[in-house]
Amino acid sequence: MAKVVKLPRVDRSVETYALVGTPTERPEAAPVFNRIAYAAAHVVADPWADANPWNSPAIDWDATMAFRHHLWSLGFKIAEAMDTSQRGMGLDWAGAQELIRRSLAEARTIAGADLACGAGTDQLSRQDARSLDDVIAAYEEQFGFIEKHGGRTIMMASRALAHVARSPDDYRKVYGRILGQARNKVVLHWLGDMFDPELTGYWGSERFEDTLETVLSIIAEHKDKVEGIKISLLDQACEIELRRRLPEGVICFTGDDFNYAALIEGDGTHHSHALLGIFDAVAPQASKALAALAKGDLATFRGTIEPTVPLSRKIFEAPTQYYKAGVVFLAWLNGHQSHFTMPAGMQSARGAVHYADVFRLADQANVLDRPELAAARMAALMTQYGVG
């Protein structure tokens, strides 16, 4: 089968593109890393179900669970029911509960499989959030569900809290209440407004210097309950400053899908662990790189992971919250699902030129695991866009 595809350019011309990449080999067994590495995983829609894909999308649970097996086989922990799974953008709390329940049960069937689950307040709309107590109750419900099913928790940022909070002390109150009663250690999630504009002013300020002090004060007061914090601001300097100031025993997880290679490698004094949406899309390459890093093989680490960074920057370009479309696009190209449709129809959030750019960069980063299949599917998609 030919590995040549006609792709549109931004100037409205059409290029005949020949694939150049080489698929990344798979490990015989799940490798061991010297970084904690979570892949935030997407969900697979069921396009044949008789459902409303915008308001109550159907999920293909078999394909969704199969993708988690793919990630576990490569050595990753899974960050479940996070924003990569379209929480609040296609997957509601009812769907998230089913996802969490199924994934926790599935993990118990796989030796070494591990995951942590996102707890937020997405069952509470902004309109219904009238007080901090409303936000606390919503967090308590989600923490309670995860803990009841034996899961560990990632405390997601709350749109409702951003709506009702009036000061940093309001954040201290809510986080203090939830952390104080959590059964296990919790990973905090600092998500920037580029990922969700409704989180503007989170932690009580729009200045990083102020928000950093608030976050550090919460962690210091409850460090016995905080495993670590994921920071997703797409700003390397901000992450370096946060991880430098974290108390001993509290881990920094990079959520920086622009600069993760350098942040994971570290500067010789500090390094970041990983909790990344892009690891959903580049799992074989990230696995190979992390295994090499654990062996001290920096040349292989850099040579494998650094080519994925331009791809990630394209997938996560503004408007960043639509990055999920690129992640699922690559899952489809690589044969992890039979279609390119998403909950809430989010595949329409990006256009033909964007997908063409992602395709080229994925090929050049050796991310296309089945080049012939990827070329055939890309050609079919481009035909739908009128490229021929």
Side-chain angles (χ1 to χ4, degrees), residues 133-247:
D133 287 339
D134 291 337
V135 176
I136 289 169
Y139 268 129
E140 288 175 337
E141 178 187 349
Q142 297 204 11
F143 266 73
F145 180 86
I146 292 167
E147 291 177 348
K148 179 180 72 174
H149 286 84
R152 294 179 296 105
T153 307
I154 301 167
M155 188 172 179
M156 301 174 69
S158 165
R159 292 174 177 174
L161 180 54
H163 176 62
V164 301
R166 295 293 176 263
S167 71
D169 285 341
D170 289 343
Y171 289 88
R172 293 188 184 97
K173 176 181 178 180
V174 171
Y175 277 76
R177 180 79 65 83
I178 299 303
L179 290 171
Q181 61 194 25
R183 184 178 300 172
N184 303 307
K185 283 193 172 185
V186 175
V187 175
L188 304 182
H189 190 195
W190 185 348
L191 192 67
D193 58 11
M194 70 288 294
F195 285 91
D196 187 346
E198 292 190 46
L199 298 178
T200 300
Y202 207 76
W203 307 115
S205 175
E206 294 189 32
R207 292 184 69 249
F208 171 73
E209 296 78 7
D210 297 333
T211 56
L212 178 62
E213 297 304 324
T214 301
V215 170
L216 289 171
S217 70
I218 291 170
I219 293 172
E221 188 171 351
H222 304 280
K223 63 180 181 180
D224 60 322
K225 286 293 187 73
V226 178
E227 177 187 352
I229 180 168
K230 172 192 172 176
I231 178 169
S232 299
L233 300 183
L234 303 184
D235 187 318
Q236 187 169 350
C238 291
E239 180 169 327
I240 289 172
E241 180 64 10
L242 169 67
R243 77 184 184 189
R244 182 183 71 82
R245 296 184 60 186
L246 285 175

Side-chain angles (χ1 to χ4, degrees), residues 6-15 314 317 351-358 360 382 387:
K6 291 185 177 180
L7 300 176
R9 297 189 181 101
V10 69
D11 64 2
R12 305 185 73 85
S13 63
V14 175
E15 169 194 17
K314 170 56 64 172
E317 70 181 359
V353 172
H354 176 87
Y355 288 128
D357 288 342
V358 169
R360 294 185 191 93
M382 290 298 99
V387 178

